[in-house]
Amino acid sequence: MSTATSAWFDCSSGASGDMVLGALIDAGAPVGPIRHAVEAVAPGDIRIRTERVTRCGLAATKVHVDTADGPPHRTWRSIRRTLEEAALPGSVREQALSVFARLARAEAAVHGIAVDDVHFHEVGALDAIGDVVGSCAAFHELGIGAASATPIALGSGTTRSAHGRIPVPVPAVLRLLADHGAPARSGGLPYEMCTPTGAALVLTFCRTWNELPPLRLSGGGTGAGTRDPEGVPNVLRVVLGVPADPAPQEAAADSARTTQAAVVECNIDDLDPRIWPHVLDRLMAAGASDAWLTPILMKKGRPAHTLSVLCPPALLPDVREIVMTETSTIGTREYRVEKRELDRHFITVPVGEAAVRVKIATRDGCPVNAQPEYEDVAAAAELLGVPLKTALARAIAAANTDAANRRPAP
């Protein structure tokens, strides 16, 4: 299928991993390559099978992920290593890593722990790995280049988790949507309509949020959830086609994700400069995307700084509290901005006997930038007894070699 194919996800009845995978298979994604991709990640542990069902009178594909007994939970570190080492097409690996990275960041924020220490529980189970890798493989097989979605229905009430009964929408889903400025609605049903895995998949695949855009339709599919409530079809639909006018097609060519963010600023001329590193550290630790100082000249010729903080809108109260308590300002100005960002993930490369983490930015699934983590490079330089610039050059070369090895053959 042409790489110009666009997809639109109808999430008016929610989203879960098996619903996304079922819709893509129903739309024509071949099951064979999907099973092959899942097998590459968890050999012999996961089996994908499909069933034709009806939900409120609508025919749909229900995906069943049968799994062997596995560990009760997995860390983001272990899942990342497994995905990095699996024999997957580059775009499938990058998307699967992006899905789990989103989940890890959300769970870390909800539980107040480091991202690498997140224990996924439900989303780290083998069936969720099957949903994520299978959905990313199906997306790849359909040749989808750009995707959009409706606001996601979340549900209400409570649901059972590894920590006991928790309210719906569950905290991880709220965090995922807030971090990406994605729209949502209740959906009006008294149960969990959107799971963290479903939210992370839709956020990874979709760049924009809208009703069905102008498309020359080429197909579509319907994925079924487990429940079959009366009056509302528990399904997720995907519609495939090519943009019907030039403007959407040109927009689809830009794969950078658009998200909503907030900026908090204030001018300060009376703070002991030794305090600034502490303030910036506090802001970053609280979850700010970035924080920086700009030298300025204020009234009466006073040298000063503008403190600027970029953060997700949901973090505004926390950022405001830190700025007000840790600095000498008596007020802030705040405004919303639109961020455009590439997908990114971390890999680990060898530099002599040292290991260095490298942040990889991707565009349409292809690496476009590799930036080694400074602390790891400094530690490698110390261990190897070489200049910092030499360790940095070796880390970049190793990252480029890794990217070349992962790139699928033409």
Side-chain angles (χ1 to χ4, degrees), residues 18-19 21-23 25-26 50-53 59-63 222-225:
D18 59 337
M19 291 168 74
L21 179 54
I25 290 176
D26 200 51
T50 63
E51 177 188 6
R52 293 297 290 170
V53 299
T61 293
K62 178 72 177 78
V63 171
T222 305

Side-chain angles (χ1 to χ4, degrees), residues 175-259:
R175 187 72 189 203
L176 281 161
L177 298 173
D179 284 350
H180 294 82
R185 63 187 188 87
S186 166
L189 295 178
Y191 59 79
E192 183 182 27
M193 299 176 71
C194 180
T195 67
T197 304
L201 280 166
V202 174
L203 289 167
T204 299
F205 291 157
C206 298
R207 309 296 182 187
T208 55
W209 308 93
N210 46 249
E211 295 305 315
L212 180 64
L215 295 174
R216 295 189 194 90
L217 301 184
S218 60
T222 305
T226 301
R227 288 186 177 89
D228 188 12
E230 293 184 6
V232 178
N234 183 24
V235 299
L236 180 144
R237 296 187 300 155
V238 62
V239 176
L240 304 179
V242 295
D245 58 76
Q249 194 162 7
E250 291 170 5
D254 185 357
S255 65
R257 186 187 315 105
T258 300
T259 59

